[in-house]
């Protein structure tokens, strides 16, 4: 276990604190965020109303000497490389600490390597990659996956899909099940998962080949690892948000839904004041678009700021706290809509038990 | 068919056609004259009679498709009310600091210069500690905002240039890692090399108040001795353009139009005058709310010329006139028309139990205006001398209830608003409810008649352009 500092912290990577027990190689010893991001001197979960036990610092001073490495994580907010991040990479390398980059740092890869070498610091880029063993392997005839699959999809970006995957995975492991988990983040493997494979992004492969290869890949992993359950996160959003933000037209949902059949589907949605019939509409829409039967919904901690998004090139979001999300979930649960909040332990327990119940009831109808 | 629950619609005509605006769906339909007449009779007599079978068929088809619904909100509530605390906690977009209430000019129509009942200049200025605290407060409440936006406002903010400089240096030194955009509204009379260099070095965007050529500008924008400010501004602008070419591109002008003056003169100045012709200029009319003596009524000559320019704009849009003949002053009307009638008019068939007329932002989220004392207001347009508009202070934080009250300003006139056909196009926020410092339903309602007239005119213009085969495009005026 390496003592690690998380940097640059914003609320998008709270899962690295909340699901630390699933990290096999790291123990987070500190959290650092640029002062301008507004997190400093408060608990890392403060804006969600969650107590993580970590106070966010605005500098590495007093923390750096006690750690072995710094985990450079992805964040909702962009940190300018030239005017800010580079200076910190140099500082950490100079201190002789290991530099570990989670996710989207590839564009600065060469320069980072150069800095690390200059100070003789170790470095590592944890990114999505393909298992050589399954490279370009597929079967024309699609294979039935012999294990129940729980699929986590989202209607938009920033809907806490990864937090959901971690929570559900943890529950099944705690119950003693053997879990095969394909995670949406490029660095999923630090959580005892396999990252969603790189070939699914390979534009040189035809759509058909990618579907066949994914089917073969999941099937092969199931045969090899013999899991009791597969938890599969689908990257990206399920459909366009509007004419301007098309979310890649739900392309990965199209690929995955053609490659496998989902036994239990969790659909994450942004926080919104939905009318009750929206859930029926959404379930029907997804059913006929992808063939998924939606079993439950997760209300995310992010709402879309529609007015600001209208005037922007990017979707603008608002972060909601746990209690606000809970109130919304309870409102829908009272009306028998299965809507949960992944950040609340009670609602999370309700979700995981509902999955277990559904999978048990399915097992009575085993097709021989 | 007798029905007390009448369709919630608004009927209007262009020169050649008849239309119905369906309020619940936000859709506008061209309808035959006989359908228009039948619907009009229905609204007037609360009883529908069909003048012909075709009319019956069309009206029934519209109803079957969810149109002509009588649905109205049961009560008025801003859709974001329940999450206002979160907006104020993490999503304050812009900070505007009132660094001083003093100004070196005493413009005739300035809210602070004694022309209005509610606001006056004073010698109050912000302390460095207050400004610093306001910046700290803002950063903590802008967690969800991609870049920090800090504005300086007065009075005339450049009177306190040293304070502005210290605050910018503080923000730059303390808050690295997020882009900070600075902006300032100034009368430009105090711009000199040291100041321009500082503003340029810190990527400021400047909004300069300039009302037109010397004879127009100097009529209203004068110093305390009655001397006009035009020559000083132009001298400073020319210096800036000559010595800071890149920075000059970040300037915009704000022209406050006094419609009692000559339109042609104004038009010619902003079109031909070298120092200003290539800049974006926003044109606004003098705010008449709470004014003591209204000396700014449009002359007949001004009105005729303005309307003629709108006519030329329409000729350009239907490709009958070259763009160079269209006055810059009226081009913004197209942007307003396009945005109101096309971009922001979402057609939807969702009927909700409650809602709020358009207009108010979430008070405190879109912007916080911090006065010299550290009190928080929703923006610089509200009367900062009124306690009704204070939504907290930088030491104790937001008063969420007050922010919610200002956001839900529709509650003040709920009875009238619930049955108003213009709810989706209204722009009345708390600023328009100010009656000498108190929130007043009457002050708000006095605006409604003009507002409804303006919306109907816009609907007619929109439909008229459609009748002429004009296609709405956000790039029509790319060159502005």
């Amino acid at each position: 276990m390496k003592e690690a500092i998380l940097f640059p912290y914003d609320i998008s990577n709270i899962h690295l604190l909340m699901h630390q027990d699933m990290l096999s190689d790291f123990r987070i010893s500190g959290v650092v965020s640029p002062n301008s991001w507004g997190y400093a001197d408060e608990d890392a979960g403060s804006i969600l109303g969650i107590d993580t036990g970590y106070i966010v610092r605005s500098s590495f001073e007093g923390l750096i000497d006690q750690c072995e490495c710094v985990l450079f994580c992805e964040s909702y907010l962009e940190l300018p490389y030239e005017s800010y991040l580079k200076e910190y990479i140099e500082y950490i390398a100079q201190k002789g600490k290991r530099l570990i980059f989670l996710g989207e740092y590839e564009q600065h890869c060469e320069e980072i390597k150069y800095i690390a070498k200059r100070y003789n610091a170790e470095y590592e880029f944890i990114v999505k990659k393909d298992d050589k063993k399954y490279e370009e392997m597929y079967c024309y005839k699609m294979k039935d996956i012999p294990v129940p699959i729980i699929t986590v999809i989202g209607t938009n970006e920033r809907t806490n899909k990864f937090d959901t995957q971690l929570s559900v995975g943890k529950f099944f492991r705690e119950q003693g099940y053997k879990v095969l988990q394909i995670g949406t983040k490029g660095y999923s493997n630090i959580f005892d998962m396999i990252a969603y494979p790189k070939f699914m992004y390979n534009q040189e492969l035809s759509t058909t080949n990618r579907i066949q290869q994914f089917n073969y890949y999941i099937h092969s992993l199931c045969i090899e690892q013999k899991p009791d359950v597969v938890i599969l996160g689908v990257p990206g959003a399920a459909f366009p948000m509007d004419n301007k933000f098309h979310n890649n037209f739900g392309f990965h949902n199209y690929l995955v839904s053609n490659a496998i059949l989902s036994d239990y589907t969790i659909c994450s949605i942004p926080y919104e004041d939905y009318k009750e019939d929206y859930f029926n509409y959404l379930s029907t829409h997804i059913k006929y678009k992808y063939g998924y039967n939606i079993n439950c919904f997760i209300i995310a901690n992010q709402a879309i700021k529609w007015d600001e998004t209208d005037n922007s090139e990017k979707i603008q979001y608002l972060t909601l706290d746990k209690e606000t999300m809970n109130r919304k979930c309870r409102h829908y649960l009272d009306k028998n809509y299965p809507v949960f909040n992944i950040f609340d332990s009670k609602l999370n327990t309700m979700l995981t038990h509902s999955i277990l119940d559904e999978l048990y009831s399915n097992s009575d109808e085993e097709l021989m | 068919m007798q029905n007390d629950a009448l369709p919630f619609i608004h009927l209007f005509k262009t020169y050649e056609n008849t239309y119905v605006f369906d309020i619940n769906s936000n859709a506008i339909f061209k309808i035959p004259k006989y359908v228009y007449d039948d619907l009009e009779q229905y609204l007037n007599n609360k009883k529908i009679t069909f003048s012909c079978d075709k009319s019956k068929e069309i009206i029934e088809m519209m109803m079957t498709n969810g149109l002509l619904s009588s649905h109205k909100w049961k009560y008025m509530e801003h859709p974001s009310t329940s999450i206002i605390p979160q907006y104020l906690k993490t999503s304050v977009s812009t900070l505007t600091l009132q660094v001083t209430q003093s100004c070196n000019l005493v413009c005739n129509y300035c809210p602070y210069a004694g022309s209005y009942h509610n606001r006056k200049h004073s010698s109050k200025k912000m302390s460095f500690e207050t400004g610093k605290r306001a910046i700290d407060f803002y950063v903590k409440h802008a967690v969800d905002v991609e870049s920090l936006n800090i504005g300086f406002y007065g009075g005339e903010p450049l009177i306190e240039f040293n304070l502005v400089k210290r605050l910018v240096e503080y923000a730059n030194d303390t808050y690295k890692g997020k882009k900070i955009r600075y902006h300032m509204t100034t009368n430009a009379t105090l711009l000199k090399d040291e100041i321009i260099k500082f503003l340029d070095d810190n990527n400021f965007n400047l909004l300069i108040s300039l009302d037109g050529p010397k004879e127009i500008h100097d009529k209203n924008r004068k110093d305390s001795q009655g001397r006009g400010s035009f020559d000083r501004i132009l001298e400073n602008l020319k210096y800036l353009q000559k010595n800071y070419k890149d920075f000059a591109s970040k300037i915009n002008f704000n022209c406050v139009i006094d419609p009692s003056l000559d339109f042609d003169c104004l038009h010619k100045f902003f079109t031909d005058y070298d120092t200003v012709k290539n800049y974006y200029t926003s044109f606004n009319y003098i705010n008449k709310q709470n004014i003591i003596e209204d000396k700014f009524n449009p002359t007949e000559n001004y009105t005729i010329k303005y309307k003629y320019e709108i006519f030329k704009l329409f000729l350009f849009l239907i490709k009958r006139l070259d763009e160079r003949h269209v006055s810059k002053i009226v081009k913004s009307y197209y942007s307003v028309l396009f945005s109101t009638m096309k971009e922001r008019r979402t057609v939807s068939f969702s009927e909700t139990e409650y809602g709020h007329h358009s207009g108010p932002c979430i008070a405190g989220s879109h912007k916080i205006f911090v006065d010299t004392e550290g009190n928080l207001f929703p923006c610089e347009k509200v009367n900062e001398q009124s306690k009704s508009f204070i939504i907290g202070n930088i030491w104790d934080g937001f008063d969420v209830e007050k922010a919610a009250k200002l956001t839900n300003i529709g509650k003040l006139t709920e009875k009238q608003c619930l049955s108003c056909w213009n709810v989706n196009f209204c722009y009345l926020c708390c600023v328009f409810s100010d009656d000498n410092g108190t929130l007043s339903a009457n002050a708000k309602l006095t605006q409604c008649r003009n507002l409804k007239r303006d919306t109907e005119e816009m609907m007619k213009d929109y439909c008229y352009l459609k009748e002429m085969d004009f296609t709405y495009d956000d790039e029509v005026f790319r060159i502005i």
Side-chain angles (χ1 to χ4, degrees), chain B residues 260-292:
Chain B
S260 65
L261 302 176
D262 185 47
F263 183 91
D264 285 341
C265 208
L266 198 64
H267 161 67
K268 201 166 161 25
F269 176 74
F270 284 106
T271 311
D272 299 337
Y273 199 83
D274 277 344
T275 316
V276 299
K277 71 178 183 188
N278 293 323
Y279 290 91
Y280 174 80
T281 307
S282 57
F283 296 92
N284 300 291
Y285 286 93
I286 292 170
N287 171 21
K288 307 269 184 92
Q289 208 177 354
N290 289 310
I291 198 163
I292 293 170

Side-chain angles (χ1 to χ4, degrees), chain A residues 135-154:
Chain A
E135 213 166 24
E136 292 178 30
M137 286 180 73
Y138 64 89
C139 179
Y140 180 78
K141 193 172 170 196
M142 302 290 279
K143 292 179 177 296
D144 289 333
I145 310 296
V147 178
I149 299 180
I150 300 165
T151 312
V152 182
I153 66 165

Side-chain angles (χ1 to χ4, degrees), chain A residues 327-362:
Chain A
R327 276 198 300 276
K328 188 61 72 187
C329 291
R330 289 202 188 98
H331 169 79
Y332 295 124
L333 282 166
D334 285 348
K335 296 184 175 178
N336 293 322
Y337 289 94
V339 182
F340 302 105
N341 170 10
I342 209 69
F343 295 99
D344 180 84
S345 56
K346 274 189 191 163
L347 291 171
N348 200 10
T349 306
M350 283 170 75
L351 162 71
T352 45
H353 282 92
S354 120
I355 302 173
L356 210 50
D357 291 348
E358 178 69 20
L359 295 185
Y360 268 132
S361 69
N362 286 355

